[in-house]
Amino acid sequence: MSYFVHESSYIDKDVKIGDGTKVWHFCHIQEGAHIGTNCSLGQNVNIGSRVIIGNGVKIQNNVSVYEGVELEDYAFCGPSMVFTNDLTPRSKYPKGPGGFKKTLVSYGASIGANATIVCGNTIGRWAMIASGAVVTKDVKDYALMAGIPAKQIGWVCECGTPLKEGLSCEICERTYRLENNQLIEK
C-alpha cells in the first residue's frame, strides 16, 4: 500500500486510492469512490459513493464531497466548505442517485473556507471562490468570485494572484487577454 490512511478512518469496499495520498483522522470514504494520486484529505472528510477525485487534490477539514460531485486534478477545497447534490431535498421523498445534480470543480480551481457550492454548477479551470461565497451558477475559467450569491469581482492568475487591469501577474509574470469575455493565457 503506497498511500496513508489514519487508523481512525473508514474505507468502504471497492474504493481506489492513488499512490502518495494521505487520509487523515476520522475520514470516511464510501463505496466505489476513486481518489487520485498525491491527494490530501484533512480531518473529518467524507467522500460519497462513486465520487471521482483527481490527482493532487487537497480537501481541508470538515468537508463532505457528496455523490454527484467531481473534483478534477489540483482542485482545492477549503475548511468547512459545502457541496450540495439535490436542489429540492425532502427526507420523506428521497430521490437517490438518479436525482442528484452533477457538480464539477475543474482543474486547479480553489474554493475558500465556508463557501457553499449549489449543485448542478461547474467551477471553471483555475477559478477562485472566496471564503463564505455561495455559488449558484456556473463559474468561468480564472474567475474570482465572492459574495452571496457569488458574483465575479475579477480575474485570478493560475498561481492564485488576483489580476489587475493589465491582466499580467505581478508574481509569476504570466500574461492573459480577454476574448469573448473569457480569460485566455497568452
Side-chain angles (χ1 to χ4, degrees), residues 2-124:
S2 58
Y3 55 84
F4 169 80
V5 176
H6 190 271
E7 63 185 23
S8 65
S9 292
Y10 291 93
I11 310 298
D12 290 353
K13 65 181 179 176
D14 298 324
V15 168
K16 293 180 183 172
I17 301 174
D19 291 344
T21 290
K22 293 178 174 59
V23 179
W24 294 103
H25 304 73
F26 313 116
C27 293
H28 183 193
I29 302 175
Q30 297 179 33
E31 183 177 350
H34 181 211
I35 300 171
T37 61
N38 299 311
C39 294
S40 177
L41 279 62
Q43 180 175 300
N44 198 37
V45 168
N46 179 63
I47 305 298
S49 296
R50 294 172 287 285
V51 165
I52 297 171
I53 296 175
N55 300 318
V57 172
K58 292 185 180 179
I59 303 172
Q60 301 294 77
N61 296 353
N62 306 312
V63 174
S64 290
V65 183
Y66 297 116
E67 186 170 357
V69 176
E70 180 179 347
L71 307 177
E72 289 187 345
D73 294 351
Y74 302 103
F76 175 88
C77 297
S80 301
M81 61 79 46
V82 175
F83 289 107
T84 67
N85 65 0
D86 186 342
L87 290 173
T88 57
R90 293 282 196 216
S91 60
K92 186 174 179 181
Y93 303 102
K95 296 176 188 79
F100 297 155
K101 301 290 183 191
K102 182 174 171 58
T103 298
L104 176 64
V105 180
S106 300
Y107 191 101
S110 292
I111 302 168
N114 293 307
T116 298
I117 310 301
V118 176
C119 60
N121 295 298
T122 295
I123 309 299

